[in-house]
Amino acid sequence: MQSEMETLTPTSLSSPQVAGWIVAVCLAAAWMGLAWMRRRQRAQLLAALQDESCTSEGDSATGLEPLARAAFRRVRAERERHLRLTDRLSEIERVVRATPIAVIALDHLQRVVSANPAAERLLGFDERAARGRLLQDFVRQPALNRAVSSALATAGDSHATGVSGELHLDFEEPLEVQFSCEPLHTDGQPPGLVLSLVDVTRLRRLESMRSEFAANVSHELRTPITNIKGYVETLLQVELDEPAQQRRFLEIIHRNTLRLSGIVEDILTLAFLEEPEARHTLERKSFCAREATTAVAEDLGSAANVRGMRLLIEGDTEAKIFANRPLVEQALANLISNAIKYSSENQPIRVVIATVGPNTRLSVIDRGPGIATKHVARIFERFYRIDKARTRTQGGTGLGLAIVKHIATIHGGRVEVESQIGEGSRFHLILPNHEVSTDGA
Ligand code: ADP
C-alpha cells in the first residue's frame, strides 16, 4: 500500500506525457460534454417546436404573425447550432478514437461509459461488451482498481485535481503504465472519471538498458584506467634503477591503453551500427566471400600461430556477399579471434563458406570448450561473458558478438550458433549474396 501511494504523485510524469494526457483528458471531457449538450439541444429543439406550434395555432386566432416568424427563426437557429455541435462531436470522437492513449470514461460507480480502441488494445477488452459493466469485473488489476477508487473518492471534492502516477500491470506480458484520473462532471449525476493510460513499458525497458549499459561501460573502463594511473604514478614517484622493471611497467601501461582503446572503439562501432540511418547510408557492393575470409585469416594469422593453431578456409570458392566489406571482415574477425581465444592450443579453426539460397553462410568452427545452452541465448548481449574474470584477462571487451549480430542484422542477415560443451562451437554468419532491401530488416 505504501509503495502504491508513492506512485500516486504527478512528479513521475514527463512533460510531453503530461501534455498528451491533458489533451486526452480534455478531449474525452469535451466528448462527454458535447454528448450531453447534444441531448439537451435535442430537448430544447423539441420544446421550441412545441412552442412554435402553439404560437402558430394562436396566429390564426390572434393574428400574431411576427411572433410566429420569430419563433420559427429561433427553431432554425437552434437546428443549425445542433448540426454544428453534432459535427464537432463526431470530430472529437474521431480524435479520441485515433489517439494512442487509452481513454476510459467511468461513471460514479466505476461502470464503463465509453472507451476508445487504444484502451481496448491495452487492457484487452471489447468496449461494446464492457459498456455499463464495472471496470474491475473485466480488468482485474488491483493496483489500477485501487487507483480508480481513490480518485473517485475525491472526484466530488470541488478542489479535486485528479490523481496520476505510474503503475505496474500484471498481465501475461507485464506492462508499465502512466495513468491519470480526472473527475468527469455530467448533468445531474455524481461525478465519474476519465481514466487515461499511457504504455511506457518500452520506454522503461530502454531506460534500464541504457543505465545498465552505462554501468557496464564504467565498470569495464575502471580497471584499465586504475592500472594505468597506478603504474604511471609509480614511475613518476619511485626512482627505478632497473630498466627491465621500467620496461615491464611501460608494457603494462601499453596493454591497458590498448584495452581502453579497444573498448572505446567497440562502443563507437556499436553506436554507429545502432544509428537508424546507418542501414541506409552504408556502402554495399558484391565481393568474393573467400577473398574477404583470406584477408581476415592473414590478419589473424600471427595470433593463431602463437597458439599453434591453423586457420583453414574451405567450401564454395565462388560465393559472393552483397554487403559492406569492412564490416563483414570485422564480424568475421570477431568470430575467428573468439575461436582463437577460447579454444585450447594447437586446435585447428575452420571457416567453411557455403551458398544457401539467396545467402552466403560463413561458418567459423572451433574445437573449443563449447557453450552451455543457458548461455547461448545471451552471448550476443552487450558485455555478456560466460566466465567474466577469465575472458577479461584474455582481452575481450564483451562486445564482440553484439557487434557481429548488429553487422549481420544491418545487412538483412543473421548470426546463429550451434555449440555443445566439450565439442566446440559453430558460429554461422549468414549474409545476402545479392542486393536486397534492408528497410524492414
Ligand atoms: P568477448 O570480448 O568477451 O570475447 P564476445 O561478445 O565476443 O565478448 O563473446 C561473449 C562471450 O561468449 C565470451 O566472453 C565467451 O565467454 C563466449 N564465447 C564467444 N565465442 C566463443 C567460442 N568460440 N567458444 C566459447 N565461448 C565463446
Side-chain angles (χ1 to χ4, degrees), residues 347-385:
Q347 297 288 347
I349 292 164
R350 291 161 59 216
V351 183
V352 180
I353 304 166
T355 299
V356 185
N359 296 315
T360 292
R361 187 179 64 204
L362 304 170
S363 304
V364 178
I365 304 168
D366 66 47
R367 291 201 206 142
I371 302 166
T373 317
K374 65 174 179 179
H375 295 298
V376 166
R378 301 203 58 194
I379 52 173
F380 294 96
E381 288 173 18
R382 300 186 262 189
F383 296 114
Y384 189 82
R385 295 175 171 108

Side-chain angles (χ1 to χ4, degrees), residues 266 334-335 338-343 364 366 368-371 378-388 391-392 395-404 419 424-427:
D266 278 358
N334 288 1
L335 293 178
N338 276 353
I340 297 172
K341 268 191 300 189
Y342 299 116
S343 307
V364 178
D366 66 47
I371 302 166
R378 301 203 58 194
I379 52 173
F380 294 96
E381 288 173 18
R382 300 186 262 189
F383 296 114
Y384 189 82
R385 295 175 171 108
I386 296 168
D387 180 346
K388 291 190 176 36
T391 52
R392 227 176 256 137
T397 61
L399 295 171
L401 289 179
I403 291 176
V404 175
S419 191
S425 309
R426 290 166 179 255
F427 283 85

Side-chain angles (χ1 to χ4, degrees), residues 285-301:
K285 58 180 188 199
S286 181
F287 59 89
C288 171
R290 195 179 178 98
E291 260 177 46
T293 309
T294 307
V296 176
E298 278 168 8
D299 288 348
L300 295 172

Side-chain angles (χ1 to χ4, degrees), residues 15 80 93 97 99 109 133 140 148 177 238 256 339 363 372 394 398:
S15 41
E80 278 165 11
E93 259 172 6
R97 291 188 69 75
T99 180
L109 295 173
R133 287 178 59 201
R140 290 199 182 86
V148 167
V177 293
V238 183
N256 281 283
S363 304
Q394 281 167 312

